[in-house]
Every structure is written in structure tokens, then in C-alpha cells.
């Protein structure tokens, strides 16, 4: 899940297998309820009932509803990171081709309904607050992997610019955040794969015009 600030992290200590499975069940259930109902309507009691766990059991793991929501967001980010790493590992071709494939994958992931729902909640309910708010340039695992792909394309002479982190941020803003914000407003502009493909092809071309060097036609 691409955000410019990291969610508050729920503090969960070392757990036994049974405790870990209980926490996973709680988080998965909460994710479904938050996405379907929103943050304000969803209660700890509802989560407890839906996942057959006692309220005290949830309270011991997550001291507040905000902490539970933070755990949901962190789980989503972890799954996104795992998927990103798998996508990077399977991507073939030159450095620019790998970057293009990953950028297209990030667009798809960030338009998934559950990701949109959680991002909408995070913004509208102001869950991502002061204590843990990070500057957009601060290191983030998802961004770091994108930066590494940009740097590889620069090293191969296929992208220009100086700071790969600036180029990566530009790529995210030009390709991911616009459609994601559109979806968060409830629009279905990019709901279909064909619509995403059309937007991505145009956005990628514009990105290369700004950050690319003279490239053969097949690389565009």
C-alpha cells in the first residue's frame, strides 16, 4: 500500500504459534469490517464477535481501535512488500523494462478495493497522526526497492537525473497516486484493466520524457 507516511505500528511482542494465529484472525476480521463499514462504525466488540475472540483477548494485543487499525494497515503493507519482491524477482529484461513492469504492478495493487478502502479510512479518519508521521523522503521498504530499480536504470544509462529517490517519487506521483486518489473519491475511472493499461501507457511515456534519456522506440 503506497502512502507518503507510515502507519502507527501496533506493538505486538513475541507470540506463540497459537497466539500468532489468534492475532492474525483478529487482524483479518478487522480488515474486512473496517473496509466494509469504515473506522467510526466498526467497534472492537464487533470484531470480537465476528472472529470469535473475547474483547479482553483483543485488548491485550491492541490497546485501542487505532492500534488495531494500524496493525491492519501494517499487514497490508507487508503483503504488498512481499508481492513487490516476488514481482521484482520474476521480472526479466533490462533495468528499464523491470522498472516499467513493477510500476504497472504498483498501479494495479494500489487500485485494489481493500487498499483503496483502507487508504480512504486513514485519510478521512486521520488515523495516521503526528507521532509516527514520516517525511516522504524517509526510508520505506517499498520505496527503497523502487529507488533501487530506478538507480539500476540510471546506471545502465536508460534514465537521467541525479537522485534516484527523487525520480522514484516522481514515478509514484505520476503513475500511482493520481488514479488512487480518483478511486478514493469513489470514481470507477480506472476500474478495468483496459482503462489502467491506457492510463499507464500514457503516464509511462510522459515519465520517460521527463526522466528518460534518448531511448530506442522499443524501450518506450
Amino acid at each position: 500500500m503506497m502512502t507518503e507516511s507510515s502507519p502507527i505500528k501496533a506493538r505486538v511482542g513475541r507470540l506463540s504459534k497459537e497466539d500468532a494465529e489468534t492475532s492474525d484472525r483478529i487482524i483479518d476480521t478487522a480488515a474486512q469490517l473496517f473496509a466494509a463499514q469504515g473506522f467510526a462504525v466498526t467497534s472492537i466488540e464487533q470484531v470480537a464477535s465476528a472472529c470469535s475472540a473475547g474483547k479482553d483477548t483483543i485488548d491485550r494485543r491492541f490497546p485501542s481501535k487505532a492500534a488495531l487499525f494500524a496493525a491492519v494497515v501494517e499487514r497490508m503493507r507487508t503483503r504488498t512488500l512481499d508481492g513487490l519482491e516476488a514481482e521484482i524477482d520474476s521480472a526479466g529484461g533490462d533495468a528499464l523494462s523491470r522498472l516499467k513492469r513493477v510500476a504497472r504492478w504498483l498501479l494495479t495493487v494500489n487500485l485494489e478495493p481493500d487498499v483503496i478502502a483502507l487508504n480512504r479510512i486513514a485519510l478521512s479518519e486521520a488515523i495516521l497522526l503526528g507521532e509516527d508521521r514520516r517525511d516522504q523522503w524517509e526510508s520505506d521498504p517499498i520505496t527503497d526497492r523502487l529507488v533501487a530499480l530506478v538507480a539500476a536504470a540510471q546506471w545502465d544509462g536508460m534514465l537521467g537525473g541525479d537522485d534516484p529517490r527523487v525520480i522514484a517519487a516522481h514515478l509514484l506521483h505520476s503513475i500511482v497516486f493520481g488514479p488512487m486518489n480518483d478511486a478514493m473519491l469513489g470514481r470507477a475511472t480506472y476500474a478495468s484493466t483496459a482503462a489502467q493499461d491506457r492510463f499507464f501507457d500514457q503516464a509511462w511515456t510522459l515519465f520517460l520524457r521527463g526522466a528518460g534519456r534518448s531511448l530506442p522506440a522499443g524501450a518506450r
Side-chain angles (χ1 to χ4, degrees):
M1 184 163 79
M2 304 305 303
T3 58
E4 290 189 355
S5 56
S6 176
I8 303 167
K9 294 184 180 179
R11 296 184 178 180
V12 180
R14 188 178 183 84
L15 302 175
S16 67
K17 180 179 180 181
E18 182 178 355
D19 285 342
E21 290 174 350
T22 299
S23 292
D24 286 344
R25 189 171 75 253
I26 292 169
I27 293 171
D28 288 340
T29 302
Q32 295 172 11
L33 291 173
F34 283 134
Q37 302 179 161
F39 181 80
V41 174
T42 302
S43 68
I44 296 297
E45 289 78 9
Q46 283 181 319
V47 176
S49 175
C51 70
S52 301
K55 183 175 182 297
D56 290 344
T57 299
I58 296 178
D59 289 340
R60 284 196 298 272
R61 290 166 170 78
F62 311 101
S64 67
K65 188 166 69 169
L68 178 56
F69 180 76
V72 168
V73 174
E74 189 66 18
R75 168 71 61 78
M76 183 69 69
R77 288 176 63 81
T78 298
R79 289 177 176 173
T80 299
L81 179 58
D82 290 344
L84 174 60
E85 291 179 335
E87 191 70 17
I88 291 173
D89 289 343
S90 64
D94 58 35
L96 190 64
S97 297
R98 293 195 300 273
L99 178 63
K100 182 178 181 180
R101 175 171 168 171
V102 167
R104 179 63 182 85
W105 181 86
L106 286 171
L107 175 61
T108 297
V109 168
N110 281 279
L111 289 175
E112 291 178 352
D114 51 353
V115 174
I116 291 298
L118 292 177
N119 269 322
R120 185 183 293 120
I121 293 169
L123 291 176
S124 64
E125 303 293 343
I127 301 304
L128 309 182
L129 288 177
E131 301 175 353
D132 199 50
R133 181 170 288 281
R134 298 183 181 182
D135 184 89
Q136 64 174 324
W137 304 111
E138 189 171 342
S139 180
D140 165 86
I142 295 173
T143 304
D144 287 348
R145 282 149 181 80
L146 188 64
V147 170
L149 291 169
V150 169
Q154 288 177 314
W155 179 262
D156 287 350
M158 308 185 85
L159 283 182
D162 296 319
D163 187 346
R165 188 164 292 273
V166 172
I167 301 299
H170 172 66
L171 178 61
L172 286 176
H173 280 276
S174 61
I175 288 179
V176 175
F177 288 122
M180 185 178 72
N181 290 337
D182 188 85
M184 287 172 63
L185 291 173
R187 299 168 184 156
T189 310
Y190 307 100
S192 70
T193 299
Q196 292 178 28
D197 285 341
R198 285 193 298 271
F199 169 80
F200 180 81
D201 288 344
Q202 294 173 359
W204 179 256
T205 298
L206 291 173
F207 166 73
L208 289 183
R209 287 177 182 172
R213 292 181 174 175
S214 297
L215 302 171
R220 293 184 171 88

